[in-house]
Amino acid sequence: MAVSSFDLIVVGAGPGGYVAAIRASQLGLKVAIVEREHLGGICLNWGCIPTKAMLRSAEVFHLMERAKEFGLKADGIGYDLPAVVARSRAVAKQLSGGIGHLMKKNKVTVFMGAATLPKPGVVSVKTDKGTEELTAKNIVLATGARARELPGLEADGDLVWSYRHALVASRMPKKLLVIGSGAIGIEFASFFNTLGADTTVVEVMDRILPVEDAEIAAFAKKQFVKQGMKIMEKAAVKKLDRKPGVGVTAHIEVGGKVETHEFDTVISAVGIVGNVENLGLEALGVKIDRTHVVTDEFCRTGVPGLFAIGDIAGAPWLAHKASHEGVMVAELIAGGHPHAIKPGSIAGCTYCQPQIASVGMTEAKAKEAGHEIKVGRFPFIGNGKAIALGESEGMIKTIFDAKTGELLGAHMIGAEVTELIQGYVIGRTLETTEVELMNTVFPHPTLSEMMHEAVLDAYGRALHM
């Protein structure tokens, strides 16, 4: 058996793992990365990137249908679902290939195969050519997560789809049930609903988008219903009767009663579970809680030299959180003194129609934490750029500590808010108060002016409302 020694071995080449490998190599370490499937992980191949490519197609289709509003003519508007899927896959392939180039450029040795950790400091890789043994003082686990499957609701790729099946949809659903209203569920509901599917979303919690601010979630629900979606809250899918070639009868409990509804396609989006199995973690003494590796604020597992980053290390399950953890851990291993990541300053983005973005505390969480708060809001209808774009449905909400002026949270819904949110993220990272934000000059005409107005409104100083 071949044995190779490195300063650092990264297990998993998703947005956490490959970034950790690049940064460690930049810092002079000899690095190996092990990947069992695709460079770029789920995010580039089956998650963030291909879904955004598909959602962009739906967005353009939606705009084409509105051509008359803009003084334009477009006749015989339609779509080609296989072509939409093919474009999405091509985008993913292009980016995945780019990761291979980055590995070569940064002199990271790539091993394609399944990894196990037979003992401390050792990674065994089962490749097509046999088994290779790698050794290193430091190992980073970045094995990610996969879709959670509930008993009786398992995906079969025919009538019941996971996110993977939805990304390579072989047909356009006529009547679609989406189970779960987190980011993944809502994005697919938005995509298929925009292309004409009769879409129903079932959420077990008392409102859709349960991690978002309640006011933003209520605004989103109103928009989705206006677009023709049916929303069932405080509802649970108890059973699916599958009839191959025909469809699915869903037994949905709502208000204490079980109703039956007919669908031709179901998408299950009920959360994720960490990829912690078959690695040998338990034998090493790694603590696992509900399929996620327990770590401290620097991603240390408690086993010397073993770190865990990204989805395997728990919420928030976001690619940008994984990448930042990868950089932090690489710098720590190389002898640096990086800052620990603050989860409250990591933005969440949902690319439905309209988009949703947030950072920090919701209004309810801020009150629960004992803050006396000031809340500001500004609607898209009051912004010149939003009206010119034909995107006047939306709002921006800011939450401040009334005593200190600290920006506790910001929540947005509307066109391009996934791009706007970073302004508030920077503000929180710099520990800004309302004073700095009020004294910042925002360019005109832009959507970002609403960010200024939402701050001003929290202190009774809004100018355009």
Side-chain angles (χ1 to χ4, degrees):
M1 186 190 295
V3 179
S4 305
S5 293
F6 297 88
D7 298 318
L8 170 65
I9 302 165
V10 181
V11 181
Y18 83 74
V19 167
I22 290 171
R23 185 65 187 130
S25 184
Q26 287 175 344
L27 292 167
L29 301 183
K30 185 183 177 187
V31 184
I33 194 162
V34 182
E35 172 55 47
R36 70 179 182 185
E37 199 171 7
H38 304 289
L39 293 177
I42 292 297
C43 177
L44 262 66
N45 295 280
W46 294 102
C48 327
I49 301 302
T51 54
K52 302 316 157 282
M54 289 178 76
L55 285 159
R56 175 61 172 162
S57 293
E59 182 184 7
V60 172
F61 178 73
H62 174 66
L63 283 170
M64 288 166 69
E65 288 189 307
R66 295 174 58 199
K68 195 174 177 183
E69 287 178 41
F70 298 93
L72 305 172
K73 289 182 180 178
D75 298 319
I77 298 162
Y79 61 84
D80 178 347
L81 186 61
V84 169
V85 169
R87 176 180 181 270
S88 168
R89 300 315 307 151
V91 169
K93 186 179 178 184
Q94 179 184 340
L95 286 164
S96 183
I99 303 304
H101 170 72
L102 285 172
M103 295 298 96
K104 283 180 189 171
K105 180 185 170 187
N106 288 281
K107 298 180 176 61
V108 174
T109 306
V110 177
F111 293 88
M112 297 302 294
T116 54
L117 281 67
K119 53 189 175 183
V122 177
V123 175
S124 178
V125 187
K126 191 175 180 182
T127 71
D128 291 340
K129 297 172 184 175
T131 302
E132 296 207 41
E133 192 168 276
L134 317 180
T135 63
K137 187 179 175 185
N138 292 289
I139 297 169
V140 173
L141 296 171
T143 54
R146 62 187 184 278
R148 181 187 299 279
E149 293 208 305
L150 298 180
L153 309 184
E154 296 93 349
D156 55 38
D158 177 22
L159 298 172
V160 183
W161 295 352
S162 67
Y163 66 87
R164 283 204 181 204
H165 301 123
L167 278 169
V168 289
S170 54
R171 66 172 187 276
M172 180 64 195
K174 291 184 177 67
K175 201 162 182 208
L176 172 67
L177 169 63
V178 177
I179 308 172
S181 74
I184 294 171
I186 284 296
E187 286 182 359
F188 279 119
S190 191
F191 172 78
F192 286 109
N193 188 72
T194 299
L195 294 186
D198 179 353
T199 305
T200 299
V201 177
V202 171
E203 172 55 54
V204 73
M205 304 293 281
D206 60 356
R207 60 185 173 86
I208 60 165
L209 298 158
V211 303
E212 299 294 343
D213 185 86
E215 193 173 353
I216 298 295
F219 192 106
K221 180 183 175 182
K222 191 176 172 185
Q223 294 303 309
F224 297 152
V225 170
K226 194 190 284 187
Q227 293 164 16
M229 275 192 219
K230 297 172 188 69
I231 306 288
M232 300 176 73
E233 295 162 324
K234 287 199 278 190
V237 178
K238 291 296 185 184
K239 191 172 133 189
L240 296 175
D241 295 333
R242 308 174 198 221
K243 296 169 241 172
V246 180
V248 177
T249 301
H251 299 255
I252 305 172
E253 185 178 334
V254 57
K257 295 178 182 175
V258 175
E259 304 173 358
T260 58
H261 297 266
E262 302 295 325
F263 301 94
D264 62 74
T265 311
V266 178
I267 295 176
S268 178
V270 290
I272 62 172
V273 292
N275 293 323
V276 294
E277 307 91 347
N278 305 318
L279 289 166
L281 301 184
E282 294 86 351
L284 290 176
V286 175
K287 190 176 176 188
I288 296 170
D289 178 29
R290 289 168 292 178
T291 79
H292 292 94
V293 173
V294 178
T295 67
D296 67 6
E297 70 272 28
F298 288 103
C299 297
R300 294 177 289 219
T301 64
V303 175
L306 185 62
F307 301 79
I309 64 172
D311 287 356
I312 194 180
W317 297 287
L318 300 165
H320 43 287
K321 172 252 198 186
S323 295
H324 208 83
E325 285 178 338
V327 170
M328 176 187 73
V329 166
E331 292 181 352
L332 196 65
I333 290 168
H337 302 281
H339 291 286
I341 290 171
K342 296 176 182 174
S345 290
I346 298 172
C349 298
T350 306
Y351 297 80
C352 46
Q353 177 74 28
Q355 293 180 6
I356 297 164
S358 58
V359 66
M361 294 182 181
T362 62
E363 184 175 348
K365 291 284 185 191
K367 287 175 180 172
E368 275 175 35
H371 293 278
E372 184 186 329
I373 61 173
K374 285 185 179 287
V375 179
R377 300 171 183 83
F378 196 81
F380 272 52
I381 193 69
N383 176 263
K385 178 72 180 292
I387 295 168
L389 288 174
E391 301 286 357
S392 59
E393 295 286 352
M395 69 175 285
I396 292 181
K397 176 176 181 178
T398 54
I399 301 158
F400 291 90
D401 184 286
K403 292 173 184 170
T404 66
E406 178 189 355
L407 176 64
L408 298 174
H411 308 271
M412 311 175 170
I413 182 167
E416 302 304 333
V417 296
T418 57
E419 299 291 341
L420 296 179
I421 193 66
Q422 188 62 12
Y424 288 133
V425 174
I426 291 168
R428 277 181 59 80
T429 301
L430 296 177
E431 299 182 354
T432 190
T433 68
E434 89 287 0
V435 176
E436 287 87 12
L437 290 169
M438 285 181 182
N439 287 322
T440 299
V441 180
F442 286 72
H444 173 80
T446 63
L447 297 174
S448 67
E449 290 174 276
M450 291 183 284
M451 298 168 65
H452 193 216
E453 292 275 9
V455 174
L456 293 171
D457 183 58
Y459 291 84
R461 290 175 51 180
L463 298 167
H464 293 91
M465 185 172 61

